[in-house]
Amino acid sequence: MLQLLFVGLAALAGLAGGGCRPESPAARLARELKGAIAERAKPTGTVRTFDIEAAPAELPLIEGGKLRVWAYNGRVPGPELRIRLGDTLRVRFTNRLPQPTTIHWHGVRVPNAMDGVPHVTQPPVEPGGSFTYEFTPKDAGTFWFHPHVRSSEQVERGLYGVLIVEDPTPPPYARDVVWVLDDWLLDETRQVFDRFNTPHDLMHDGRWGNFVTVNGRTDTTLAARGGERIRLRLLNASNGRIYAPEFAGLDPQIIAVDGLYLARPIPLGRFELAPGNRLDLDITMPAAPASRSLAVVDQFYAERPNHLADVVIDGTGPRAPSFASPARARVPSWSTGLQIPVTKEFRIDARRGGDYGIEWTFNGVAFAGHEHHGPPMLTLERGGWVRLRFVNDSFRLHPIHLHGTFFRLLARNGVPVDEPFFRDTVLMHSKETIDIGLVPLDAGKWMMHCHILEHAEAGMMMLFEVRG
Ligand SMILES: [Cu+2]
């Protein structure tokens, strides 16, 4: 009784549970996250084991020609790993490449030791070597995996795959389709241009290719029936290219961004799918389409649109089942987050120097927090709400990606932004300032980097530490 009374009084006075001091605004924001995402994994005991080998391969990817690539299990994209929430993923990985490598599980909240960052969370896997990754994802959603060693070369050569963690009870879509977007820079012999991290790529927005593929093809077609309701998962696996996909004649709703469901579905509109980003779309095919074949076109640069794929609607299928689009119970609004002082500001710019003649830096430091590059510039306490600011002092694009945590975009150029979703990657435009809010939940040394892989390779990756 006395305890109940105390709890009641504490609530009235705005006191933190168990403590006697008033709850700080940041503590209140941290508390808003409770129950919105899982704090820890809940393994059911089911272990799903996959063998993955990275090796050179020759594949008929573009115009039927034999393209020499590096591939996971001889495929580009690599094998689709599909498990259920609660399953434990075990990947027995072997490196048959001529270079060391690792696998990073992009967007998955893994134990730090499974994060695939060379010399930080594990030694690189040498040619001929192997490593077993094992973890239980905390979240259902669309994730992906790729090397974190020389990724500007290894991802470009074809090393990436999709990891889908299904809900315990997946929503009853007629079909669940994955489109992996990538672009390839081919030389005049129609092979992967084998100079990487060129001054041009470093000074601009990374390496942009001359062939855009969806699932490794230039002629991807989604054959559907009128009335069908499809879940379409998009992933941008490009080194640098950003896509703004437009679905003429269709009305896609976004149900998940970077894996996690939204608070509520929103129309696709113009969404800038930067390298690393994922989008899950809920699309009901029209029963009477304006045209049988509907083009999906990237309009990021409206003057240079790219045809991505076609949706071909033939006849009518079973009527779309009626069910509410999946959504999260809630995504904290963190609307008062901008009233809390910035925890740390990072200024982003390039300068002469480094292995490539140009390096990209956070606060003037390349590879901050890595061995021989100074201590981590950011140390956070587990469970505390923080606000980070990124100031782009350059004219280039920078998709900022954090390992080990989701975040919410709070503002662009000081103007509040209310996205009803979390992200793990957000695009910064030329000379733009962004503010993000987050609560780190997993201790360890985590990477924060630009997902334009050439920028990362030239220094735009730093380590931050989460204690506790
Ligand atoms: Cu960048």
Side-chain angles (χ1 to χ4, degrees):
M1 184 63 197
L2 203 61
Q3 198 182 4
L4 273 177
L5 189 66
F6 176 76
V7 169
L9 283 173
L12 274 175
L15 297 176
C20 290
R21 282 177 308 176
E23 187 180 38
S24 72
R28 197 173 311 136
L29 292 172
R31 191 159 48 76
E32 275 186 46
L33 190 70
K34 289 256 184 281
I37 55 175
E39 290 214 21
R40 47 185 62 83
K42 298 183 187 73
T44 56
T46 303
V47 179
R48 302 284 313 280
T49 303
F50 298 87
D51 290 308
I52 294 185
E53 189 175 285
E58 257 192 12
L59 298 173
L61 293 180
I62 293 170
E63 296 170 353
K66 288 263 161 96
L67 187 64
R68 289 190 297 276
V69 298
W70 291 356
Y72 289 130
N73 292 1
R75 304 169 43 181
V76 177
E80 180 181 301
L81 310 182
R82 200 176 264 267
I83 63 172
R84 282 274 164 101
L85 186 65
D87 290 352
T88 296
L89 178 71
R90 178 183 294 155
V91 171
R92 298 188 299 211
F93 172 66
T94 306
N95 179 12
R96 304 264 174 235
L97 302 171
Q99 291 178 4
T101 190
T102 59
I103 298 182
H104 167 61
W105 307 89
H106 182 124
V108 186
R109 295 189 291 144
V110 294
N112 195 227
M114 294 291 121
D115 202 40
V117 175
H119 306 293
V120 177
T121 66
Q122 68 169 97
V125 184
E126 297 296 331
S130 53
F131 188 90
T132 298
Y133 293 91
E134 184 167 327
F135 53 86
T136 309
K138 298 178 184 184
D139 308 291
T142 308
F143 303 102
W144 68 300
F145 56 98
H146 63 77
H148 225 287
V149 176
R150 276 189 73 79
S151 47
S152 56
E153 174 176 1
Q154 296 190 4
V155 175
E156 176 67 8
R157 288 191 186 273
L159 290 169
Y160 49 78
V162 175
L163 166 63
I164 292 171
V165 183
E166 291 184 334
D167 293 307
T169 309
Y173 289 98
R175 283 152 68 198
D176 184 325
V177 178
V178 181
W179 280 1
V180 182
L181 281 50
D182 190 12
D183 65 342
W184 303 77
L185 184 62
L186 302 189
D187 62 17
E188 58 284 354
T189 70
R190 289 279 202 265
Q191 293 300 327
V192 174
F193 180 63
D194 63 2
R195 283 175 52 218
F196 298 92
N197 309 306
T198 63
H200 175 275
D201 296 348
L202 290 173
M203 278 190 279
H204 297 84
D205 300 318
R207 174 168 163 137
W208 288 48
N210 44 14
F211 285 88
V212 171
T213 58
V214 173
N215 296 344
R217 310 171 60 97
T218 49
D219 60 350
T220 288
T221 298
L222 172 60
R225 302 181 82 80
E228 231 183 349
R229 191 166 169 189
I230 292 178
R231 178 176 189 156
L232 180 62
R233 304 174 191 252
L234 305 183
L235 153 68
N236 182 357
S238 304
N239 280 28
R241 183 181 292 275
I242 293 136
Y243 303 84
E246 211 177 80
F247 291 68
L250 297 173
D251 181 24
Q253 303 290 308
I254 304 176
I255 54 170
V257 173
D258 290 349
L260 299 185
Y261 287 130
L262 276 64
R264 56 181 188 282
I266 56 172
L268 172 60
R270 179 186 166 86
F271 190 98
E272 295 177 338
L273 192 73
N277 277 139
R278 288 88 66 215
L279 271 184
D280 287 35
L281 303 176
D282 178 333
I283 308 177
T284 298
M285 298 299 160
S291 158
R292 211 181 126 256
S293 181
L294 304 169
V296 182
V297 177
D298 157 40
Q299 297 276 9
F300 182 70
Y301 287 119
E303 68 279 16
R304 278 177 280 148
N306 292 295
H307 179 263
L308 297 175
D310 292 298
V311 177
V312 175
I313 301 174
D314 224 347
T316 50
R319 272 228 334 253
S322 176
F323 60 91
S325 293
R328 297 192 75 77
R330 64 192 180 82
V331 173
S333 79
W334 287 344
S335 57
T336 57
L338 290 171
Q339 294 160 20
I340 290 170
V342 171
T343 311
K344 179 85 179 172
E345 178 179 287
F346 294 102
R347 303 195 77 102
I348 290 158
D349 212 348
R351 64 168 180 223
R352 289 175 194 281
D355 292 349
Y356 304 108
I358 298 158
E359 56 185 4
W360 282 94
T361 60
F362 287 106
N363 291 347
V365 184
F367 303 106
H370 292 73
E371 220 183 342
H372 314 302
H373 295 269
M377 282 197 277
L378 181 67
T379 301
L380 303 174
E381 297 301 324
R382 207 186 91 78
W385 191 89
V386 292
R387 173 178 167 204
L388 303 181
R389 170 172 288 171
F390 298 88
V391 182
N392 185 359
D393 286 327
S394 78
F395 288 100
R396 305 324 316 179
L397 299 165
H398 302 291
I400 302 292
H401 171 52
L402 270 65
H403 289 200
T405 185
F406 291 100
F407 56 81
R408 272 204 70 173
L409 180 64
L410 301 176
R412 285 190 188 272
N413 293 325
V415 179
V417 172
D418 185 21
E419 295 184 335
F421 49 85
F422 293 102
R423 294 170 165 275
D424 61 45
T425 305
V426 61
L427 179 65
M428 294 182 79
H429 300 88
S430 170
K431 294 281 174 181
E432 195 176 41
T433 294
I434 59 165
D435 286 60
I436 65 170
L438 65 112
V439 177
L441 293 175
D442 291 282
K445 279 189 173 169
W446 301 102
M447 186 75 94
M448 178 161 93
H449 66 91
C450 181
H451 222 290
I452 287 183
L453 300 177
E454 289 72 20
H455 292 178
E457 187 68 23
M460 202 173 159
M461 46 168 134
M462 57 164 275
L463 287 166
F464 66 101
E465 189 166 0
V466 179
R467 284 198 298 224

